[in-house]
Amino acid sequence: MKILVTGGTGYIGSHTCVELLQKGYEVVVFDNLYNSKIDVVDKIEKITGKKITFYKADMLDKESMRPVFAEHTFDAVIHFAGLKAVGESVEKPLLYYKNNIAGTLNLCEMMNEYGCKKIIFSSSATVYGSPETVPITEDFPLSTTNPYGSTKLMLEGILSDLCVPDKEWSVVLLRYFNPIGAHESGLLGESPNGIPNNLMPYIMQVAVGKLPELGVFGNDYDTPDGTGVRDYIHVVDLAKGHVNAVEKATSANGVNIYNLGTGNGYSVLDIVKAFEAANGVTIPYSIKPRRAGDIATCYANPKKAKDELGWEAKYDLQRMCEDSWRFAKMNQ
């Protein structure tokens, strides 16, 4: 089977390409390299010993995607490509709506034109807004607290609507919690361009001396230590969930929705302490004002994914911290 991975040189996309290749799938990637680097393709091939086909394309330029579809017949698309920083989305909402919404519409039009109607969509736990209770199940009320989350929720609705008039469409919506960690080889991990928006790459830059301290955004939330609580999941576990989702998408039509998380909530300071304990490194930090769009607590009930996809997270927090640090040291 041949799978198209949009945004396949990004953090989650690259790890998913590895898992797909190791399961025997053919993989084609397109990415505009806005927040990733082309050498990721070589790293994927080095880890797996298998080739992938790469195209530089941008979803906002619909015709740049045409050669990808004209030259291949895909069994399914895994759609990662998009802007993903909560804080930036609050500052630049039009950028997020244009890129994430318009780009995905172009992708779906291209898929429809070439008869590929199976898509696994990279959604987010942000579609649950600020939940009244935890853990979160897939039938919780949906709302958003920032434009990034709003684009994910809108796209969930758009993709679901495709299945109403055309029963050939199969849509799997994967609501991620908070991926951290890196591939055990140390070759792949989260390496954003510029100052990181996510916690673990921020910790990494402090640990290797690129930044003087970690900024902890808010210590007055209604949580055990006042810092935000999230469900941190190893990126390799998350990637494996996409392989299971491909199997679901190619065997069942309609819309299927799954949380991908561990079911455990850890605060920002829990992560800092776990990283220090796992790696013997001190992470200085200072408390900053809350970030716009952030919420207090968010963690998953992942039972549905276990029951229907046969998937569950395997790696613990210590492993997430060890793998992150190995990647950071190898890629300073």
Side-chain angles (χ1 to χ4, degrees), residues 175-191:
R175 293 173 179 164
Y176 309 163
F177 283 69
N178 289 66
I180 60 175
H183 193 269
E184 63 183 1
S185 66
L187 292 173
L188 294 177
E190 188 167 13
S191 184

Side-chain angles (χ1 to χ4, degrees), residues 199 202-203 206-207 211-219 225-227 267-274 276 281-288:
L199 176 60
Y202 203 156
I203 290 174
V206 175
L211 294 173
E213 64 179 14
L214 171 70
V216 176
F217 299 102
N219 67 341
D225 63 17
T227 65
S267 74
V268 173
L269 294 184
D270 286 337
I271 299 298
V272 171
K273 291 170 187 173
E276 291 178 332
V281 178
T282 300
I283 304 297
Y285 66 87
S286 64
I287 304 301
K288 308 285 188 184

Side-chain angles (χ1 to χ4, degrees), residues 140-157:
F140 266 39
L142 303 179
S143 64
T144 60
T145 61
N146 56 74
Y148 163 73
S150 296
T151 67
K152 293 297 188 183
L153 186 53
M154 289 178 186
L155 288 170
E156 283 198 6

Side-chain angles (χ1 to χ4, degrees), residues 3-21 27-36 40 44 52 57-59 65 69 76-85 96 99-101 103-104 107-108 111 118-124 148 151-152 155 159 172-177 179 234-246 260:
I3 310 299
L4 173 63
V5 182
T6 77
T9 58
Y11 177 44
I12 305 170
S14 61
H15 286 83
T16 300
C17 288
V18 167
E19 297 302 320
L20 288 166
L21 289 165
V27 174
V28 176
V29 167
F30 80 69
D31 201 305
N32 66 1
L33 302 177
Y34 173 80
N35 196 31
S36 60
V40 168
I44 293 168
I52 63 173
D58 191 315
M59 294 188 303
M65 293 188 285
F69 284 89
V77 174
I78 304 180
H79 179 31
F80 293 106
L83 299 174
K84 63 173 187 175
Y96 272 66
N99 187 86
N100 293 4
I101 304 292
T104 302
L107 174 66
C108 290
M111 291 176 65
K118 301 185 186 306
I119 186 168
I120 294 90
F121 176 58
S122 171
S123 190
S124 166
Y148 163 73
T151 67
K152 293 297 188 183
L155 288 170
L159 293 171
V172 179
L173 306 175
L174 298 181
R175 293 173 179 164
Y176 309 163
F177 283 69
H234 198 297
V235 66
V236 172
D237 277 330
L238 186 59
K240 291 177 186 292
H242 290 77
V243 178
N244 293 40
V246 168
L260 295 185

